[in-house]
Amino acid sequence: MAVPTNIKTLLSGNVVEWARIEFKETWDAEASLKTICAFANDIDNWGGGYIVIGVKEKDGRPDALPGVSPEKIDHYLKDMLNKCKRIQPEYLPIVEVADYEEKKFIVIWAPGGYLRPYSSPRTMAKNEKERVYYIREMASTIVPSEEEKRDLYNLANNVPFDDRINHEADLTDLNLTLIQSYLKEIGSSLYEESGHMQFVDLCRNMNIVNTLPEYTKPKNVGLMFFSMEPQRFFPYAQIDVVQFPDDLGGDRIIEKIFKGPLHQQLREALQYIQNSIIQEQIIKIPNKAEADRFFNYPYAAIEESLCNAVYHKGYDVREPIEVRVLPDRIEIVSHPGADRSITEEGLRTYHVFNRRYRNRRIGEFLKEMHLTEGRNTGFRKILNALERNGSPKPIFETDPERLSFCTTLLIHPEFLRQNEGVNEGVNEGVNEGVNATLTDKEQTVLEAIKRNPSTSVAKMIKELNISRASIERAIKELKKKQMIIHEGPAKNGRWIVLK
């Protein structure tokens, strides 16, 4: 049987996190059985992990590749089978002998099991009776605390939706061409075998069907990626890109809907946004050889935001992912909201560490295709892309009931001026900017906003001792002069000083 990736990918660490891979120079039954048990328990829903035998490691990374002596391989495989039978409940990982750089390696894939929690003997002694539930913490296999044990028992009755069997579908709903295209793209050794092996065996190797021979049914994740019409099983599993050229109150609406396998609709939606919505502006500066170049929205920020929405959407919720394109912002809305472990304060300060992923199997496929990383890097990538482009910081919001999640990307300030008639087209000459003269009250309000970007009109009335009408008039003029914009909801949003 073959694992659903290749050894070159595992050795690079570019797709599978290092914490999900262990390298062993030789087969060590006692240590490796504990690690297999920990991957099977998959307490963080990462999708299990891999053990690569024949690799000398240093600090958790490959250091040398001695390989496995061919005459030892058969002995190792038989011992693995015997030792893995000591895991309870019954669990067998998937094992493959791989060739790389003219050497032999053994790759063990231990996906998260369905009968968690799993235990293995503390030692390999024949009379050992003590059993331990092992888990992974970062790159280490450890004995769980009492709280972590409770988490393991809770997971036993909480198989993620994407990993559940779909009783309404049949094996014929999975498309061989889509599967082969995916395997070829990620460089899996399964691609070569897929042309002559039984289709059901191919699906079992990819873990996209259940393993009961008398009742073979696809899993939800298989239908999401390898069915031509996943919306038959998951209504509104789609991406709606809706443009409001005249803002929400206008009459014009341009709508484009993307359906089909998740990775295809994601790529098609991103391509459409790149071609139809993203614009570049070039401003030449006097006495400077190179012009300033920037975009209304950096593609990398939109890509990461939309990939995260696909990754974390609840596909048992009958709501599409919606990309709303307004004159001054893009809103990407998905359902449900963020996990309870993510606080509103964490979203405001961009300090988010999600321990559990809603769709671990969807994440596996997206990672293999380099569409996402799933290592709590999403927010940082969005922030970095916006900063490089000179764009305002994003807004991440979820409602108290955690029914929806919204990522707001604000347009680059120069494009905002263009939209309001200050700049017309791409300025290929000299950009002299907007010279604005402020009244005393406008200056006072501007200083109050600088001191406290989250201030409100009510707060400024008390602080400045100025009437509401005067403050609202000053804010209106400051917006006209392109000095400030307000992002987020009216009650708990914030001000951004443009200049």
Side-chain angles (χ1 to χ4, degrees), residues 122-179:
R122 184 176 287 276
T123 70
M124 288 294 103
K126 289 185 178 180
N127 58 350
E128 177 64 78
K129 295 183 178 180
E130 184 181 1
R131 307 192 64 82
V132 179
Y133 299 112
Y134 292 99
I135 64 169
R136 293 289 284 186
E137 186 172 282
M138 303 300 290
S140 300
T141 296
I142 65 168
V143 177
S145 65
E146 288 302 318
E147 182 180 355
E148 288 166 332
K149 279 185 183 178
R150 286 193 292 272
D151 284 346
L152 271 178
Y153 282 108
N154 289 335
L155 286 170
N157 298 314
N158 188 23
V159 177
F161 180 78
D162 62 342
D163 209 21
R164 295 178 191 171
I165 298 167
N166 193 303
H167 298 281
E168 304 299 320
D170 293 307
L171 195 63
T172 54
D173 292 309
L174 299 175
N175 184 279
L176 176 61
T177 302
L178 288 174
I179 292 173

Side-chain angles (χ1 to χ4, degrees), residues 354-457:
N354 189 14
R355 185 182 175 191
R356 302 238 168 88
Y357 295 105
R358 180 174 287 122
N359 300 306
R360 64 175 185 177
R361 297 298 310 285
I362 290 175
E364 286 177 22
F365 286 110
L366 293 179
K367 288 178 210 173
E368 290 283 3
M369 290 182 282
H370 301 281
L371 290 170
T372 189
E373 293 184 12
R375 303 171 184 168
N376 285 314
T377 59
F379 280 19
R380 179 49 51 193
K381 288 181 70 174
I382 294 169
L383 287 166
N384 290 343
L386 292 170
E387 184 177 351
R388 287 193 299 269
N389 192 60
S391 300
K393 288 186 176 181
I395 305 168
F396 302 112
E397 299 172 283
T398 188
D399 58 286
E401 291 78 23
R402 305 298 170 113
L403 299 177
S404 66
F405 188 87
C406 179
T407 297
T408 301
L409 306 177
L410 299 165
I411 197 169
H412 192 285
E414 289 296 331
F415 280 86
L416 189 63
R417 296 189 181 98
Q418 177 185 342
N419 290 345
E420 295 189 5
V422 178
N423 268 329
E424 293 296 335
V426 175
N427 186 354
E428 297 182 353
V430 177
N431 181 28
E432 298 179 349
V434 179
N435 295 320
T437 303
L438 303 182
T439 66
D440 290 342
K441 286 184 179 178
E442 290 167 6
Q443 186 65 48
T444 301
V445 170
L446 182 62
E447 292 299 327
I449 288 172
K450 286 181 179 178
R451 288 193 300 272
N452 180 13
S454 61
T455 190
S456 63
V457 173

Side-chain angles (χ1 to χ4, degrees), residues 185-203:
E185 179 180 345
I186 68 169
S188 172
S189 59
L190 272 176
Y191 174 68
E192 297 297 333
E193 299 180 33
S194 65
H196 53 78
M197 69 189 309
Q198 291 288 329
F199 182 61
V200 65
D201 292 334
L202 173 63
C203 294

